[in-house]
């Protein structure tokens, strides 16, 4: 068995994520927005924690429908600070609306969030073909450029390490190891 799956082994939720979603191309603005928000929520925490709270996040944030998140009121966001199903960080909760508003502007400029994101990779998946997990980086030139541009557009929780993980989550990066059955 490939070392690729080591970070998910023994946890059915993470195994499902690794096997069916991680590094898989999905040209869907709302899915990409969900992954951006979940990656942002993971800052300072483990991905396992966030994935185990994913259903609660979807319920709290209107299934990550961009327009619905952009329209969330301060009162609605404040109420989420009491929701034990999600990470109750004011900055992370309010960043969902902030980022949704930025994505709305991105869609006006690029036609879709997807087109904007794939523009950083010239429309092609970047395949690392790594042989061991130790080779997989935590940042790249692409994640640094994406992070800088997203920050310039007013987005939060989009540092270069988070954007690297995000690139994996939406399939722009394929960091499944070369011998992984789930490539």
């Amino acid at each position: 068995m490939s070392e690729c799956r080591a970070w998910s082994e023994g946890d059915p939720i993470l195994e499902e994520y690794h096997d069916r979603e991680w590094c898989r191309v999905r040209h869907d603005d709302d899915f990409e927005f969900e992954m951006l928000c979940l990656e942002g929520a993971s800052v300072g925490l483990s991905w396992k924690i966030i994935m185990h709270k994913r259903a609660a996040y979807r319920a709290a944030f209107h299934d990550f429908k961009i327009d619905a998140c952009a329209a969330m009121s301060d009162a609605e966001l404040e109420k989420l600070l009491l929701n034990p199903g999600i990470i109750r960080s004011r900055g992370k909760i309010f960043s969902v609306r902030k980022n949704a508003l930025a994505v709305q502007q991105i869609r006006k400029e690029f036609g879709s969030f997807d087109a904007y994101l794939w523009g950083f990779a010239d429309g092609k998946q970047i395949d690392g073909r790594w042989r061991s997990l130790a080779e997989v980086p935590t940042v790249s030139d692409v994640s640094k450029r994406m992070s800088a541009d997203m920050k310039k557009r007013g987005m939060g929780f989009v540092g270069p390490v988070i954007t690297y993980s995000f690139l994996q989550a939406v399939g722009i990066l394929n960091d499944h190891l070369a011998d992984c059955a789930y490539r």
Side-chain angles (χ1 to χ4, degrees):
M1 179 58 90
S2 173
E3 166 192 20
C4 186
R5 206 168 184 250
W7 59 269
S8 65
E9 283 292 324
D11 184 314
I13 291 173
L14 290 182
E15 287 175 353
E16 178 73 13
Y17 175 71
H18 170 274
D19 299 353
R20 307 257 183 259
E21 287 186 73
W22 190 62
C23 301
R24 299 266 187 258
V25 175
R26 294 218 1 226
H27 295 288
D28 178 297
D29 281 9
D30 291 327
F31 171 77
E32 291 162 339
F33 180 69
E34 175 185 3
M35 289 295 103
L36 183 70
C37 294
L38 294 178
E39 290 290 351
S42 77
V43 171
L45 302 168
S46 73
W47 188 239
K48 178 179 182 171
I49 290 170
I50 300 306
M51 290 307 291
H52 281 265
K53 293 179 175 285
R54 189 178 191 183
Y57 269 97
R58 285 176 170 166
F61 291 105
H62 309 285
D63 288 321
F64 293 100
K65 300 295 181 203
I66 296 162
D67 294 334
C69 289
M72 292 178 80
S73 67
D74 284 350
E76 191 176 0
L77 294 170
E78 288 288 341
K79 187 176 177 185
L80 292 179
L81 291 168
L82 304 174
N83 183 338
I86 66 171
I87 304 303
R88 293 177 285 182
S89 158
R90 178 178 301 280
K92 290 177 181 181
I93 288 170
F94 276 77
S95 76
V96 173
R97 179 179 65 189
K98 179 181 175 179
N99 291 352
L101 290 166
V103 169
Q104 285 180 323
Q105 293 306 309
I106 286 168
R107 291 193 323 193
K108 286 178 185 172
E109 184 178 343
F110 293 88
S112 68
F113 188 39
D114 183 68
Y116 164 78
L117 297 172
W118 282 87
F120 287 95
D122 297 323
K124 298 180 195 114
Q125 187 179 54
I126 301 165
D127 192 341
R129 295 206 166 269
W130 311 109
R131 294 187 182 165
S132 76
L133 289 177
E135 292 179 301
V136 180
T138 57
V139 296
S140 68
D141 289 340
V142 173
S143 76
K144 290 176 189 175
R145 283 188 292 111
M146 179 179 281
S147 172
D149 192 75
M150 287 179 165
K151 287 178 182 178
K152 186 174 70 179
R153 294 173 185 275
M155 298 174 98
F157 295 95
V158 290
V161 174
I162 288 301
T163 54
Y164 190 89
S165 294
F166 170 67
L167 288 163
Q168 293 170 319
V170 299
I172 293 172
L173 290 179
N174 184 354
D175 279 347
H176 280 284
L177 298 182
D179 67 347
C180 184
Y182 298 96
R183 289 187 56 70

